[in-house]
Amino acid sequence: MSWQQYVDEHLMCDIDGNHLTSAAIIGQDGTVWAQSSTFPQFTAEEVTGIMNDFAEPGTLAPTGLFLGGTKYMVIQGEPGAVIRGKKGSGGVTIKKTNQALIIGVYDEPLTPGQCNMIVERLGDYLIDQGL
């Protein structure tokens, strides 16, 4: 299966008539493996900030998580494994695998829990595959 198929079929999938606003799979070095057409343009500095928080959990909390120029308030995650951010009625979930970052951005009516489930399920699967 191609990386684009993972994004299209597993991340942008339909959940009770709703789906993520955008999604991507990017390498830990910031290279895009696949993304939805709606995924925001992000910077290398934003990816570096995310990777730093995975290495040292809590580093993003004071400044916020930035993705595509949008600032998210960092909320509870799983140190070294999952970062979650909230902005208004939407948010972002980022799951770290051995080689990549799985990113899902959502807005209402999709719930934070649904976004977490979509992103983390694919991330766990890829980890199990050694990716």
Side-chain angles (χ1 to χ4, degrees):
M1 181 178 289
S2 75
W3 291 115
Q4 192 61 50
Q5 282 179 290
Y6 280 115
V7 170
D8 296 343
E9 296 172 16
H10 295 278
L11 293 175
M12 298 301 289
C13 61
D14 190 282
I15 302 278
D16 299 329
N18 304 313
H19 54 81
L20 294 173
T21 306
S22 61
I25 301 173
I26 65 172
Q28 292 182 9
D29 61 358
T31 57
V32 175
W33 294 7
Q35 64 184 12
S36 65
S37 60
T38 53
F39 196 76
Q41 280 296 112
F42 58 89
T43 66
E45 292 78 23
E46 291 171 339
V47 174
T48 299
I50 291 165
M51 289 306 298
N52 287 344
D53 195 80
F54 279 122
E56 292 182 46
T59 58
L60 285 178
T63 59
L65 161 67
F66 285 86
L67 185 66
T70 300
K71 181 179 179 179
Y72 296 90
M73 179 178 68
V74 178
I75 54 176
Q76 111 292 342
E78 296 168 31
V82 178
I83 299 171
R84 298 183 183 107
K86 185 96 173 107
K87 179 177 172 63
S89 60
V92 61
T93 301
I94 305 171
K95 171 77 175 183
K96 180 177 176 265
T97 71
N98 299 331
Q99 300 174 19
L101 299 174
I102 314 302
I103 305 172
V105 179
Y106 70 94
D107 213 336
E108 286 185 337
L110 198 75
T111 67
Q114 289 171 316
C115 179
N116 295 343
M117 181 187 70
I118 293 166
V119 172
E120 293 174 37
R121 185 174 53 196
L122 178 59
D124 290 340
Y125 170 77
L126 294 175
I127 289 169
D128 289 346
Q129 301 304 306
L131 301 166

